[in-house]
Amino acid sequence: MRNPLPRPIALAAGATTTAAVLQRAAFLRHCVLALVAAVAAVGSFGAHAQAFPTKPVTLVIPFAAGGPTDLLGRALAQSMGASLGQTVIVENRAGAGGTVASASVARAAKDGYTLLLHHIGMSTAPSLYRKLSFDPLKDFEYLGQVADVPMTVIGRPDLPAKTPQELISYLKREGKAVNLSHAGLGAASQLCGMLLQQAVGVESTTVPFQGTAPALTALIGGQVDLMCDQSMQTVQHIKSGKVKLYGVTTRERLKPLPDAPTLREAGLKDFEVVVWHGLYAPKATPAPVLATLNTALKAALKDPALIKRLDDVGVVVVKPELQTPEGLSTQLSSEVDRWGALIRQAGTYAD
Ligand code: MLT
């Protein structure tokens, strides 16, 4: 119960007893304190309502710096930062095909200051890892889908195969002697490489890295033979002739690489991998904070500079209706089911 107000005493005109003066002073002091408390309460309510974000936001990238997720994340961070009025800092937490970063963001403070940009790997992890310290379907708030990134199948510059058909023959002939690099179990490059081996009917030797940035360096240097990697990173290296391009993993050819056949055209029936991306926050982040972040995501995905940057490398910003919590949660749950079936069939697991 609140303290009762001290009662003001009615003073006869001109009455000035010491007791009366003291009581009136106490009453006035009480009124002033009550007013100060009320103003403070209103101020603090206002501060809660519009406080987010009052400091930089961290965007966690689950792979090495310089790779496709990092490149997409940095472009997104710049545009979201402009809309939020705060810097969005990119932090790379590579390891275990993206699961190290996902686990850490699932356990981060639920205040909107730690976000995760992750791709298709969020949906394959529950099937690939028998032990996972987080649940993609329970431990996150979904801010929205971001963009779809095609993949390219690329080889070291001096790989003898010149065409996709020659590559298929080379893979069959050389078998385990071929080193296929990827970014760890759960990475898009690993998934695409696994599907490529299945489609060709071979088993190559796989070489994991912390991301496709270091894997690409090894490919350009000739330490590994082949890799599937996202166009976000590879287009410039393909155009400059640093790597050999054999095909693209989309249904249609890519605008920036019009001469490259799709793997379907090259004879690998039904082959298709498109790397969808989503933005996540820890579960139980407050709704007003999530709304602010979603508004910033949508604003970023309308930014003409960002759209052009992505379009130049064949990356497509998702439709507005997918840039939503529902758009991401629906995609994630259907992809968990889809890849679960395929991964069980392939029998690829980590303990
Ligand atoms: C990366 O940024 O290194 C890639 O997204 C890894 C991958 O999934 O292949």
Side-chain angles (χ1 to χ4, degrees), residues 120 180 188-202 228 263 268 270-274 338-339 342-343 346:
I120 196 166
L180 179 65
S189 44
Q190 180 268 327
L191 180 69
C192 175
M194 180 186 85
L195 296 175
L196 181 67
Q197 292 173 78
Q198 259 182 4
V200 176
V202 292
C228 277
L263 292 189
L268 301 183
D270 298 334
F271 198 100
E272 185 179 14
V273 184
V274 176
R338 178 161 88 104
W339 291 115
L342 281 161
I343 290 163

Side-chain angles (χ1 to χ4, degrees), residues 106-127:
R107 289 191 298 266
K110 305 159 193 332
D111 56 10
Y113 288 100
T114 309
L115 307 177
L116 172 73
L117 175 69
H118 203 348
H119 59 32
I120 196 166
M122 192 68 134
S123 63
T124 57
S127 312

